[in-house]
Amino acid sequence: MPSRRKAMLAAAVLPGAAAAAPAPAWPSAEEIGRCTEEVRRTETAFAAAFAARDVQAFRRFLAPDTIWVGQTPLHGPQAVMAAWQAWLTAPQPPFSWSPDLVLVLPSGELARTSGPVLDPGGKPIARFHSTWRREPAGGWQIVFDFGTSADG
């Protein structure tokens, strides 16, 4: 069969095949709400570990393949921990954060958190944006993190 004819046949068959695929099952509003609150608690616990200077607890939130975007992307937990060492071991945390936006995919596999980063006096200095992945054993780990200016 000439390749043009194969392409035309494929183009005719694919729309029907796509229409026959089952629609994804959307979870109930209660399930989405439960997952959203679970992610909010996870982000809040992550920030609390930083505030408490609990280096081990902070590290446990980082996925093995995490990427943190800054001036130079940090690939993996070791790079993040090395870059954040001074902030994690300072007597007082140099900033704090909390989520004001939490979104969870209907699959419950990925989530996005965002919110203000505050200086010790409570002044907004940046905004964090994080992507979390549900782990097979349960719980969430951060896979992407980046910040923007306080107004961005």
Side-chain angles (χ1 to χ4, degrees), residues 30-141:
E30 292 81 19
E31 179 63 14
I32 289 175
R34 187 191 66 70
C35 284
T36 299
E37 285 311 307
E38 185 178 286
V39 173
R40 183 182 310 280
R41 285 191 306 272
T42 300
E43 179 70 62
T44 301
F46 183 50
F50 180 74
R53 328 313 293 135
D54 189 338
V55 176
Q56 275 67 38
F58 182 90
R59 166 61 186 85
R60 284 192 293 271
F61 288 100
L62 307 179
D65 53 348
T66 195
I67 297 175
W68 287 36
V69 181
Q71 291 178 341
T72 303
L74 304 172
H75 294 264
Q78 288 180 315
V80 172
M81 296 305 290
W84 278 56
Q85 185 65 31
W87 288 336
L88 285 162
T89 58
Q92 296 297 315
F95 52 85
S96 63
W97 70 90
S98 63
D100 61 10
L101 174 69
V102 180
L103 302 169
V104 179
L105 286 180
S107 67
E109 295 174 13
L110 290 174
R112 162 94 187 257
T113 56
S114 184
V117 177
L118 309 173
D119 71 11
K123 178 183 173 201
I125 54 173
R127 190 159 179 85
F128 77 90
H129 307 275
S130 302
T131 303
W132 296 83
R133 178 177 57 214
R134 183 184 297 280
E135 295 305 304
W140 295 85
Q141 287 190 315

